[in-house]
Each structure stands twice: as C-alpha cells, then as structure tokens.
Amino acid sequence: MNDMDKESKGPQRSTRQRTAIKRALGAAGGFRTAQELHDELKAKGQRVGLTTVYRNLQALATAGEVDVLRTSDGEAIYRQCGTGGHHHHLVCTQCGNSVEVASEEIEAWAARVAKHHGFDPVDHTAEVFGICSVCSD
Amino acid sequence: MNDMDKESKGPQRSTRQRTAIKRALGAAGGFRTAQELHDELKAKGQRVGLTTVYRNLQALATAGEVDVLRTSDGEAIYRQCGTGGHHHHLVCTQCGNSVEVASEEIEAWAARVAKHHGFDPVDHTAEVFGICSVCSD
DNA sequence: TTAAGTGCAAATCGTTTGCAGTTCG
DNA sequence: CGAACTGCAAACGATTTGCACTTAA
C-alpha cells in the first residue's frame, strides 16, 4: 500500500456534482458535515447523491483542498480553506462559521512539548470553539 | 476556578465491573478505545460486557475522571488523568502512551483568538501527536 | 427492598462499499 | 470506447438503547 502521497490524490475529472459540492462548501464559509452539505444542495435544487458528497469530500480532503475536523461526537466536518498551508480554526459551534487562524505560537509550542518529552513530533491539533457574535445576539 | 459543577455527575455505586474498568485504564497509562479496554479486560479474565465498558467510560468522562479524545477516524479514546484540571496531551500514535501537558500559553492563545474575532470562547482542543522514544527505536 | 448497574440483542447513525448504469475526455 | 464517476441499496463499525435480570447499600 502506498498512500504516502498527500497532495497528489485529487480527483481527475470535472463533473456537475463535484462542481456543485465545491461551490456549496465554498459558499458555506464554514464547517459543514457531509449531510448538511447534501441538504443544502438539495435545497438549492442540485441533485447530488449523499454517497457522492461523501466521496468527493474525502477526495478533496486527501487532495488538501479542504480541511477536516471532528466534532466532539465524532462527526466529520469539512471546510474549504483559503490558505493551503497549515493553520488552525476558530469555529462557531452554533452556525459552523469559522475563521482560519495561523499561529507560529502553536507550532512552536507543539515542537517544544514533543522534544521535551523525547517524542518525534508528527502532528498536532489546536482548534478553538465558541459562539460567534452573530449567534450570541 | 470552579469545576465542581462538572464533576457532579459521577457514578453512585461501586461495582466489580467499574473497579475493573478504572483499574485497567489506569494500568494502561495512555489512551485506549472502549473496545481495546474490553479486550484487555477479557484477556485478564475479567468478565465485563462491552456495553458496560462504554457506559462507564462515558460516566467517568462526564464526571471528569477521564479524558476523551477523538482519533482522526472518529473513534473515541479514553485516558485516566492524574490532574483534575484542564490540560492537553502529547500522544504516541504508535502505542497510545501519553503525557499530560498543562499550558497557560494555550489557554491564553485560545482566549485571545476568540476575543479578537468577537467569539465567546467555549472550549478548545490542543493535542500533540508523535512517536515516543520507546517506539522510535 | 429497590434503585443503580449490568448485559445481551436489537436499533442507531454516520460512513463505506458493491455494482450496474452514466458521463467525461 | 474506456476509465472515472455517480447513485442506490446493502454493508459496516462504533456506539446507544430497550428490557429483563443482578446486586450494592
């Protein structure tokens, strides 16, 4: 098995469904579950199978075009991100809206903590959850 | 700090099963899924239903006696933690072993980021994954 | 005694897969 | 045409729940 490729597994064809999914996720501007996205597409009159939504989201994530997070109850949530590089998020737990946050601070902290305990750092997570100003009104 | 409100939902009786689960998780010294714990108990000759493992792990988590994280594929992993307060983790992705890490730095960062974007901070995650010295040899 | 706790089997629920039909290039 | 892609239905795997039975206090 050779799945070491990170950014080289993107989709290869352009289809109506994939376009719709990417557009919908982009328009969302925040994190969405596959099912939410599927519902939003349906509401817009776009006919896309739930399976296809899952498959494309996965493919896009593998290709590095979208970010994937896990809610506290294990559901996968996806977001189309602007910056290709590594970053973290500030997510509204109410509406899913989010802000990308870059932080040297966190990277340094992760590296330092790992090194200090003799770990070979591989990865780290750091997300902030809260209620955005729109939702708290 | 007042985390007494969160620790008030603990179990009320002492049972053979609960004791076994707590002991096994304590002996593990790192993160374990409910199923792994169930297997380890079985291997030790302890008779505990998988359902019971799930229920107790959940109860202990609610009571604040164990920490819960999610693996990248959505599985819940549990760990018995020494410090009752809030903290983060450095986890070996190979053996599940982990170190508790307290960090004012992260708390401050989370609060600052949230405030800066007009969010009412609710929670945050920050875990570092890597390979521990034992596993990297 | 009696409510909390347990365990099995069945039910959920998000997600994945088999497979036949469709479509991009 | 042929490999990708799609979608439905069935399969999956982790977790939860209904319910009758145990057991701690």
Side-chain angles (χ1 to χ4, degrees):
Chain A
M1 294 178 183
N2 186 353
D3 38 339
M4 291 296 282
D5 329 56
K6 257 194 175 175
E7 327 260 294
S8 54
K9 274 202 145 185
Q12 309 165 340
R13 277 188 195 173
S14 169
T15 65
R16 170 180 65 69
Q17 292 89 332
R18 176 163 303 132
T19 303
I21 291 170
K22 288 172 82 166
R23 178 171 306 150
L25 192 54
F31 284 94
R32 292 288 186 281
T33 64
Q35 317 230 20
E36 285 171 343
L37 217 45
H38 179 246
D39 289 345
E40 290 175 19
L41 284 166
K42 192 187 298 178
K44 282 181 191 164
Q46 312 264 30
R47 227 179 309 86
V48 181
L50 178 56
T51 303
T52 300
V53 175
Y54 273 111
R55 274 197 283 238
N56 277 289
L57 248 21
Q58 226 169 235
L60 290 169
T62 303
E65 292 184 47
V66 309
D67 279 1
V68 195
L69 247 53
R70 290 277 173 179
T71 63
S72 57
D73 49 296
E75 274 183 311
I77 50 179
Y78 305 82
R79 170 178 186 178
Q80 180 177 296
C81 282
T83 67
H86 175 79
H87 59 264
H88 302 283
H89 301 93
L90 170 58
V91 189
C92 176
T93 54
Q94 200 106 118
C95 67
N97 228 45
S98 70
V99 182
E100 292 180 43
V101 181
S103 176
E104 298 303 320
E105 215 174 318
I106 300 300
E107 320 307 314
W109 168 76
R112 172 156 39 80
V113 166
K115 180 140 297 183
H116 183 264
H117 290 279
F119 276 56
D120 196 7
V122 170
D123 196 16
H124 63 264
T125 66
E127 326 294 334
V128 182
F129 299 94
I131 309 292
C132 73
S133 53
V134 176
C135 290
S136 63
D137 286 333
Chain B
M1 285 173 219
N2 185 353
D3 30 15
M4 292 307 274
D5 13 340
K6 257 202 171 179
E7 333 257 291
S8 55
K9 275 205 137 189
Q12 311 166 337
R13 277 186 197 175
S14 168
T15 64
R16 182 192 104 254
Q17 291 89 334
R18 177 164 304 133
T19 304
I21 292 170
K22 288 171 82 166
R23 178 171 308 150
L25 191 54
F31 285 94
R32 292 289 186 281
T33 65
Q35 318 232 19
E36 285 171 343
L37 217 44
H38 180 247
D39 288 346
E40 290 175 18
L41 284 167
K42 192 187 300 177
K44 281 179 191 165
Q46 312 264 29
R47 240 174 315 90
V48 182
L50 178 57
T51 302
T52 300
V53 174
Y54 272 111
R55 273 196 282 237
N56 276 289
L57 248 21
Q58 224 168 234
L60 290 169
T62 304
E65 292 183 47
V66 308
D67 280 2
V68 195
L69 246 55
R70 289 276 172 180
T71 63
S72 56
D73 50 298
E75 273 184 309
I77 50 179
Y78 304 82
R79 170 179 185 178
Q80 180 177 295
C81 282
T83 67
H86 175 80
H87 58 263
H88 302 280
H89 300 94
L90 170 59
V91 188
C92 176
T93 54
Q94 200 105 118
C95 67
N97 230 45
S98 69
V99 182
E100 293 180 43
V101 182
S103 176
E104 296 304 319
E105 213 174 320
I106 300 300
E107 320 308 313
W109 168 76
R112 172 158 38 80
V113 167
K115 180 141 295 184
H116 183 264
H117 290 280
F119 277 55
D120 196 6
V122 170
D123 196 17
H124 63 265
T125 66
E127 324 295 333
V128 183
F129 299 94
I131 308 293
C132 73
S133 52
V134 176
C135 291
S136 63
D137 286 333

